[in-house]
């Protein structure tokens, strides 16, 4: 089975990015061999000032001997002990990262620049949120 078009499209994230806005630091995305999963390495200072390191595995859920799921889901494991689930959706130049399940009131939505080397948007959740942007610093 080949990697899905949806996970291949997220290859736009591959590389190292400087993150600014409510959280600041760096994120690095790379594919696992085979291209079925994208891994994000997180090194950020949260809006509250907490330094958070983390790793996130992004891809389709595919239980053994079953068909893979349609949505691109992820789980992030952080240095503060949290596990966070997300659903990634890329339509054209618009990236949406839903907190929990698709359609959640907590999400990030941003637009890639024409050259693909920046992404600007905002994290939104009930009662809050913040603007966020990323600039690619290495491929």
């Amino acid at each position: 089975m080949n990697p899905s078009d949806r996970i291949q499209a997220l290859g736009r994230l591959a590389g190292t990015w400087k993150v600014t806005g409510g959280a600041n630091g760096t994120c690095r995305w790379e594919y696992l061999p085979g291209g079925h999963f994208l891994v994000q390495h997180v090194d950020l200072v949260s809006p509250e000032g907490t330094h958070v390191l983390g790793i996130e595995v992004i891809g389709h859920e595919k239980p053994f001997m079953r068909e893979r799921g349609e949505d691109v889901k992820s789980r992030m494991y952080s240095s503060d002990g949290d596990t966070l689930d997300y659903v990634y959706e890329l339509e054209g130049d618009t990236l949406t990262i839903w907190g929990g399940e698709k359609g959640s009131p907590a999400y990030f939505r941003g637009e890639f620049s024409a050259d693909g080397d920046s992404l600007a948007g905002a994290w939104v959740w009930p009662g809050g949120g913040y603007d966020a942007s990323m600039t690619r610093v290495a491929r």
Side-chain angles (χ1 to χ4, degrees):
M1 178 181 295
N2 292 324
S4 76
D5 292 343
R6 289 181 183 196
I7 197 70
Q8 288 179 349
L10 290 175
R12 295 175 76 171
L13 292 167
T16 302
W17 298 73
K18 178 180 178 184
V19 178
T20 57
N24 295 283
T26 59
C27 292
R28 179 173 50 90
W29 281 270
E30 63 186 348
Y31 280 106
L32 286 178
H36 294 278
F37 295 94
L38 192 61
V39 177
Q40 179 185 191
H41 304 268
V42 175
D43 185 348
L44 296 172
V45 176
S46 74
E48 298 78 32
T50 304
H51 186 209
V52 178
L53 300 172
I55 190 165
E56 180 181 17
V57 179
I58 306 158
H60 293 279
E61 292 181 345
K62 184 186 175 301
F64 182 68
M65 302 293 289
R66 295 192 195 150
E67 295 296 316
R68 68 178 167 214
E70 186 174 323
D71 289 337
V72 175
K73 296 186 174 189
S74 76
R75 175 158 287 176
M76 180 183 167
Y77 303 90
S78 72
S79 58
D80 58 5
D82 290 336
T83 57
L84 304 169
D85 294 328
Y86 298 99
V87 175
Y88 279 67
E89 183 176 57
L90 181 61
E91 294 182 359
D93 290 331
T94 302
L95 175 65
T96 304
I97 305 170
W98 302 100
E101 294 297 323
K102 189 172 180 177
S104 166
Y107 61 89
F108 169 84
R109 183 165 292 131
E111 298 285 329
F112 281 98
S113 62
D115 65 5
D117 285 336
S118 64
L119 178 68
W123 281 98
V124 176
W125 57 83
Y130 59 84
D131 290 338
S133 62
M134 299 191 323
T135 304
R136 189 187 315 270
V137 295
R139 287 208 179 261

